[in-house]
Structures are given as structure tokens and as C-alpha cells.
Amino acid sequence: MSGLINYVSCTALWLGLAVKSPDLARHWRDPYLRAICAVLALAGLCFLLGAPPTVGAVNRLSGIPNLAAPLTYAAITAYSAASQLLVVHWRGGPRVQRTARRWIVTYALVLLGIAVMFALGDAPVERRTDLDTYYATTPFLAEMIVLYLAGHLAAAGVTAVSSLRWARRVDGRLRVGLIMLGTGALCSAGYSITKFTAVVARWCGADWSRLGTTASPVAAGLGALLTVTGILIPLGWPLVTEWQRSRRAYARLKPLERELDELLTRRSLRLPRPRWVTPATRLVWLQTSIHNALGHLDAYFDRDLYEQVRASALRETGDAGRAESVAWAAVVAAAVEAERHRERPLEPCDEIDLLSVHAPGPAALVDIADALATSTLVASARVHDTTTPTGTA
């Protein structure tokens, strides 16, 4: 077997770990963050160690037949403990530390039992995919198999019940994350159940080993995907929301950028376009370039035109904020025309100009861009007294 499902699942989990690692580095004392990263790291390790090529490599390099099995079982057990700790810290409460210690002690004993059972048992024949059923009747190894499966099933069951029960009492992104986490835990429980079924069938003299080698990896892989999604949704939702907001703002600023494009290019006012950056960074780049252009135009802003257009827009819409945006759009359009028809730029006025008094912030720029694209009052401002030497600020 190629172990493709294992490696894909491991990659998905460790990508999630990479997303959270910077937060862990900044807040490494946070037990909740440590639990999240532990779940992602150990779940990925389970899939990595359980892949048949990895199993063969571990056995070959160690010189011990089937050493990969207790290592994989230990990783699964540690992952189960981390899952419990995650739920405990996620829910909080006055007994968090006591409950967390109990889970740690319980699964530490399971880890010890796995090591002792493997050392006492005899597994001379290497089995890369069906060790559970092949050695299901071998003394000590059978106990080891039951021990790790019981530990994993208990953890998956408790995680599923706790997450889904809690999801009924919350809403928003936390509820979505809990539902995904609980569903992922149910799928992970399917891994243990199918393995247990194949082992019990072996005890009864039947050979259902294919159930443990085909259905179990699929259940585990789907569980991993849902688990990492459930963990990252509550954490990544604000970031995604911010990116969406930045994309919308960036798109809405396009009319204003187009109005200033010729000036930005001719006067080399546009900053170098960043590459491979977040939508928020691209938005800041565009806002900065627009502010550079507005700063260059401040000597051309006409206060009289601003007041005239503002009054007209206020009578037309009855909205003071909208009227101010339309007035700014008209003043910017007129200033662009005035600047374009001069051979050299003007010096800023000695008086306090319009821009200094009402400097538009990022939100105002979006509204001005909307007004440029939609208001009929702006069109007349494009031909407003282009020979005027300065604004009347």
C-alpha cells in the first residue's frame, strides 16, 4: 500500500499546525494553544507513523520487527489525551487543571501499558497493515491492541459527545467549529470501531482483516480533515472575515484609483505594487497611493465648490454623510482636471486647506469612490474652472 491517505491527512494536519505555530510562539504559556497544537501535531504523527512505507522504514532501521506498531499506538494514545485536554480547556471552568491532570495520568498509564505489553509479547513476523488482526490472539499483544483501541475510542467518544452537546448552547463560528470537531471525532471513533470489529472477528475464527485495512484508514482520514477544520474555524474566522472586508473595500476603491491613475503614474506617486501579500496589505497599499495623490492635489482643492456640491447633495439625498462624500468626489475630480492643465505643480496654500481640515480616512475614501461612480453631481465638477490657480481654502 502507498499510504497516500495517511500522508495527505498528515499534510492537512501539519498545515493547520503551521497556521497556529506563530500564535504558540507568542503565547506559549497558553494551555489552550498548547492543546490545539498538540492535537494537530500528534494527529499528523499518527498518520505518518501508520503509513505502510513508514512502518517498513521504522522496522528496518530499528532492526525490531513491528516496532512501528507500538510507536503508532503510542502516538494515537497521546493524540487521544491531547483531544481530551483540548475539550477541557475549550470549555473552561473551575476544575480545568484537575480534570486535565486526570486525563494526563490516565493516558500516561495507557502508554506505559502499551510499552510493557509489547515488550512481553512476541511479534516476529512483520505486519505493516494488519498487525491488529494478525496478532489478535497472541498473548500480551492482544492486550496491547485492545488497550490502545479502547483508549482511542473513549477519547473520540467523549470528544464527540462533549463537542456536539456544547454546540447546542452556542452559536456563530464557535458552533460551526464544535459541530465539525464533534463530527470528526465520530469519524475517528469509526476507526476504532472497525478495528475492534476485525479483532473480535479474529477471536471468533473469522478473517475480517480487510475491514481494518480499508475502512479504518478512510474513517481516520476523514476524521482528521474534519477535526483540523473544526479547530481552525473559530480561530481563522475573524481573519477570513477581515480578508473579505479588505477585498470588498479594495474593489470599491477602484473608481477613485481610476480617477487618480493618470496623476499617480505621471507624478510617480504610486507605491510599488506588493506581491504575495494578504488582502489587508493590498488595501493599505492602495489607500496609501490614493493619499499620496490627494496630498499632491491639496493646493487645487476648491472650498467653494465643496460647499456648493455638498449643499446640492444634501438637498437631493438628505444624508449628510453621503453629501460630504459627493462633495469630496466633486472636489477631487475638479482638482485632477486643474492639475492636468498646468505645466508645473502649484505650491500648497498658506491658509489651512480643505484636505487638512477634513482629511478623509480609509472609510471615507471608499465612500468617495462610491460617489465618483454613482453621483451625477460629480460630472459637472470635472470641467469646473480648470484655469483656477489655487483652491479657495
Side-chain angles (χ1 to χ4, degrees):
M1 295 179 64
S2 65
L4 179 61
I5 292 178
N6 293 68
Y7 292 133
V8 170
S9 301
C10 176
T11 300
L13 288 158
W14 282 356
L15 282 175
L17 177 62
V19 171
K20 293 308 302 173
S21 292
D23 291 337
L24 180 64
R26 290 190 295 267
H27 310 288
W28 65 273
R29 292 182 180 273
D30 186 342
Y32 174 56
L33 272 177
R34 291 203 302 267
I36 289 176
C37 292
V39 167
L40 297 174
L42 290 169
L45 182 62
C46 292
F47 285 106
L48 178 64
L49 292 175
T54 306
V55 171
V58 171
N59 294 338
R60 183 177 62 256
L61 293 174
S62 66
I64 302 174
N66 298 307
L67 177 63
L71 294 180
T72 303
Y73 299 162
I76 291 173
T77 302
Y79 161 74
S80 301
S83 299
Q84 296 307 309
L85 294 179
L86 175 60
V87 173
V88 168
H89 288 297
W90 204 343
R91 296 191 64 173
R95 298 183 177 180
V96 169
Q97 296 302 324
R98 181 185 302 177
T99 305
R101 283 195 296 269
R102 287 177 179 175
W103 281 115
I104 291 173
V105 171
T106 299
Y107 279 94
L109 293 175
V110 175
L111 285 172
L112 179 61
I114 289 173
V116 171
M117 294 300 108
F118 182 76
L120 294 176
D122 184 22
V125 180
E126 182 186 51
R127 309 299 298 185
R128 297 190 180 184
T129 60
D130 63 347
L131 183 140
D132 309 81
T133 51
Y134 188 86
Y135 288 108
T137 57
T138 302
F140 298 110
L141 295 182
E143 287 78 2
M144 177 188 71
I145 293 166
V146 171
L147 189 60
Y148 100 84
L149 286 176
H152 180 264
L153 182 58
V158 171
T159 301
V161 172
S162 300
S163 300
L164 296 177
R165 181 182 297 169
W166 188 17
R168 293 183 298 179
R169 300 198 295 267
V170 296
D171 53 17
R173 62 179 182 267
L174 180 56
R175 181 173 187 173
V176 175
L178 286 169
I179 291 174
M180 296 291 286
L181 181 61
T183 306
L186 287 176
C187 291
S188 297
Y191 167 87
S192 298
I193 291 172
T194 52
K195 288 279 190 180
F196 253 133
T197 303
V199 168
V200 172
R202 180 74 173 85
W203 292 344
C204 298
D207 183 9
W208 289 8
S209 58
R210 285 187 61 83
L211 184 63
T213 58
T214 56
S216 292
V218 173
L222 181 58
L225 178 61
L226 293 174
T227 296
V228 68
T229 303
I231 291 174
L232 294 181
I233 279 179
L235 303 171
W237 196 303
L239 180 61
V240 173
T241 301
E242 174 63 19
W243 285 1
Q244 290 175 340
R245 187 200 64 79
S246 298
R247 288 192 183 98
R248 288 194 295 268
Y250 186 90
R252 290 176 62 187
L253 281 174
K254 281 300 182 179
L256 182 54
E257 184 192 26
R258 286 193 293 269
E259 184 71 34
L260 300 171
D261 182 67
E262 189 270 341
L263 172 64
L264 287 167
T265 302
R266 176 163 47 85
R267 299 297 184 186
S268 301
L269 298 174
R270 182 184 280 109
L271 298 177
R273 183 182 295 271
R275 296 182 179 181
W276 308 107
V277 295
T278 65
T281 302
R282 282 197 303 131
L283 176 62
V284 171
W285 165 79
L286 182 57
Q287 290 169 339
T288 303
S289 296
I290 290 173
H291 272 294
N292 288 345
L294 296 180
H296 181 80
L297 291 173
D298 62 356
Y300 298 90
F301 289 145
D302 189 331
R303 183 184 293 274
D304 290 340
L305 176 64
Y306 175 86
E307 298 295 348
Q308 176 187 341
V309 174
R310 184 178 181 278
S312 298
L314 189 58
R315 286 193 301 271
E316 181 180 300
T317 65
D319 185 335
R322 171 67 176 172
E324 186 171 343
S325 298
V326 172
W328 261 111
V331 167
V332 170
V336 169
E337 292 294 328
E339 195 276 344
R340 184 182 294 123
H341 289 84
R342 293 195 61 85
E343 295 182 358
R344 60 188 181 86
L346 294 172
E347 293 297 326
C349 299
D350 291 334
E351 303 176 51
I352 298 177
D353 58 62
L354 181 65
L355 182 64
S356 299
V357 177
H358 302 287
L365 292 181
V366 171
D367 293 335
I368 293 169
D370 289 342
L372 274 169
T374 60
S375 177
T376 58
L377 293 174
V378 177
S380 60
R382 300 182 191 278
V383 295
H384 171 78
D385 196 11
T386 56
T387 60
T388 301
T390 64
T392 57

